[in-house]
Amino acid sequence: MKKKVLVTGGTGYIGSHTVVELMNAGFTPIIVDNLSNSNISVLDGIKKITGIEPVFENIDCKDYIALDRFFEKYQGIEAIINFAASKAVGESVEKPLLYYRNNLMSLVNLLELMPKHGIDNIVFSSSCTVYGQPDVLPVTEQSPIKPATSPYGSTKQMSETIIADTVYAYSNLKAILLRYFNPIGAHPSGEIGELPNGIPNNLLPYVTQTACGLREKLRIFGDDYNTEDGSCIRDFINVVDLAKAHVVAVKRMLENKSEKSVEIFNLGTGRGVSVFELVSAFEKATGVKVPFEVAPRRDGDIEKVWADTSYANEVLGWKAQETLEDTLRSAWNWEQKLMSRDGNS
Ligand code: UDP
């Protein structure tokens, strides 16, 4: 019998790649998503890659009663991976209550329903945003949690606390909190990838949209930071590598290998790459020029952050494998597929 894993937000960017990796590893993922920031066509992409029709329920995790019914219908779920959340930093500043409602209510509903339905394991999508600007780099899981700089960041910090408190209160529960650095790229098949809603906020989707002429120019936010070339530094992690870490985390919990009831892992490559470096690596990997200009700093940006991955490498037994060049090519491949799809529709 294949083990069932609920993937909330499973049609989203990281969620969809994780569904594919769960299927590849012999699990039966069950997707719950309200399609608020994703497209139903993702299900076709997943099927093309795996040959398996994904199980999908259009449910909003804020709806306790609908979720309760869902768990009645799908008995025997062994673990939950909770991606369902809003993730745009700027939007969260404008609409804080939307973020608190979406991200926290969904989580609280899931946690309340887990004991009721006999589910013990949850993997949570957290973020390196919880560290703010770390004093020491690379950043380890022990680094202090800094005051959040946006409601989005607050929801990630609060969610981690809510999970820890709940696990403490219910002795059967276990959680793994995965702190992502900067996920980029797409599935190598080009069947699934990031689908930004409107003008992209994140760097790489803006780069690929500029490269294909959808945007005139990339704006590089700040060249006067205290870094070698003056631009910010991030740890860009391939989305398939990231997805695989979720499978490892689920197996770890199901095989009772967790050393603590709440474990935290950084998911990054351990390598800091500046914004300028990323753009020139993209140009080199794809042979396509990206017109850009330097613009003022963006409010709330962290100067530099990259992961110490030794704990994830040694204890979780996971390591990022893909090269930056292949990852950038996968993003470009996906962008070109999107262009030809949109052009044909
Ligand atoms: N960035 C940029 N131009 C853009 C988008 C992002 O220069 O159009 C920079 C941004 O200022 C930051 C880095 O790229 O230094 C990564 O930003 P992103 O929004 O992708 O991720 P974040 O680290 O902010 O979550």
Side-chain angles (χ1 to χ4, degrees):
M1 261 290 273
K2 289 188 171 186
K3 295 187 168 166
K4 292 183 205 157
V5 178
L6 164 59
V7 184
T8 75
T11 53
Y13 175 43
I14 306 172
S16 57
H17 289 81
T18 301
V19 166
V20 167
E21 295 309 319
L22 284 166
M23 287 172 166
N24 288 343
F27 288 93
T28 296
I30 300 168
I31 300 174
V32 160
D33 204 303
N34 66 355
L35 301 173
S36 59
N37 191 27
S38 60
N39 194 296
I40 191 85
S41 66
V42 168
L43 301 177
D44 296 332
I46 295 170
K47 186 169 178 198
K48 278 195 189 137
I49 297 169
T50 61
I52 302 169
E53 185 103 45
V55 184
F56 169 74
E57 292 282 345
N58 186 338
I59 292 172
D60 187 329
C61 293
K62 295 195 295 300
D63 185 341
Y64 180 92
I65 291 169
L67 261 189
D68 195 18
R69 278 200 207 111
F70 164 85
F71 285 119
E72 292 291 344
K73 179 170 167 190
Y74 294 90
Q75 307 264 330
I77 289 174
E78 300 201 28
I80 298 174
I81 307 179
N82 182 30
F83 293 106
S86 303
K87 61 173 185 181
V89 174
E91 184 188 48
S92 80
V93 176
E94 282 156 30
K95 300 175 186 165
L97 296 178
L98 178 81
Y99 275 66
Y100 290 116
R101 185 186 291 272
N102 271 350
N103 296 5
L104 302 182
M105 268 182 78
S106 299
L107 176 66
V108 169
N109 283 345
L110 286 169
L111 291 171
E112 265 188 334
L113 287 165
M114 284 173 71
K116 181 169 178 203
H117 293 277
I119 304 166
D120 295 337
N121 305 299
I122 183 162
V123 177
F124 179 71
S125 289
S126 191
S127 163
C128 69
T129 191
V130 301
Y131 300 119
Q133 175 60 66
D135 300 322
V136 180
L137 286 166
V139 63
T140 71
E141 290 82 355
Q142 275 71 48
S143 298
I145 300 296
K146 294 277 180 73
T149 53
S150 70
Y152 163 76
S154 291
T155 66
K156 290 295 168 192
Q157 295 183 347
M158 289 176 182
S159 296
E160 288 198 358
T161 307
I162 290 169
I163 291 171
D165 290 346
T166 310
V167 168
Y168 184 79
Y170 295 86
S171 57
N172 288 340
L173 288 192
K174 272 184 295 185
I176 292 185
L177 315 180
L178 298 177
R179 293 182 178 155
Y180 311 152
F181 284 67
N182 286 61
I184 58 167
H187 195 270
S189 64
E191 297 295 346
I192 54 173
E194 196 167 1
L195 276 173
N197 207 346
I199 300 173
N201 289 306
N202 292 116
L203 179 61
L204 192 58
Y206 212 107
V207 166
T208 56
Q209 289 197 3
T210 308
C212 71
L214 259 180
R215 313 267 158 220
E216 197 191 328
K217 242 184 226 171
L218 169 72
R219 296 192 315 138
I220 293 184
F221 299 132
D223 68 349
D224 56 354
Y225 284 99
N226 183 24
T227 60
E228 207 154 298
D229 64 24
S231 65
C232 292
I233 296 179
R234 295 289 183 273
D235 183 337
F236 296 98
I237 161 94
N238 180 287
V239 68
V240 176
D241 275 336
L242 193 69
K244 287 179 179 165
H246 294 75
V247 179
V248 178
V250 166
K251 283 188 179 162
R252 181 175 175 81
M253 290 196 292
L254 296 185
E255 291 165 9
N256 285 315
K257 288 189 183 149
S258 302
E259 291 166 2
K260 289 179 279 185
S261 45
V262 180
E263 291 185 312
I264 301 177
F265 297 103
N266 281 343
L267 298 185
T269 65
R271 176 182 168 201
V273 173
S274 78
V275 176
F276 282 124
E277 280 172 340
L278 189 90
V279 174
S280 63
F282 178 85
E283 291 183 334
K284 201 158 154 237
T286 62
V288 184
K289 279 268 160 227
V290 181
F292 69 82
E293 66 187 9
V294 173
R297 291 181 177 197
R298 185 172 72 176
D299 269 355
D301 266 342
I302 300 299
E303 184 169 82
K304 46 192 164 193
V305 63
W306 63 94
D308 183 325
T309 59
S310 42
Y311 188 61
N313 296 164
E314 284 153 29
V315 177
L316 186 61
W318 165 92
K319 196 173 190 333
Q321 302 289 342
E322 299 297 330
T323 64
L324 181 61
E325 290 65 32
D326 283 344
T327 304
L328 294 171
R329 272 192 286 270
S330 73
W332 180 229
N333 179 34
W334 166 244
E335 185 67 62
Q336 287 174 296
K337 278 225 176 182
L338 274 183
M339 285 291 285
S340 60
R341 221 198 270 175
D342 293 349
N344 291 337
S345 61

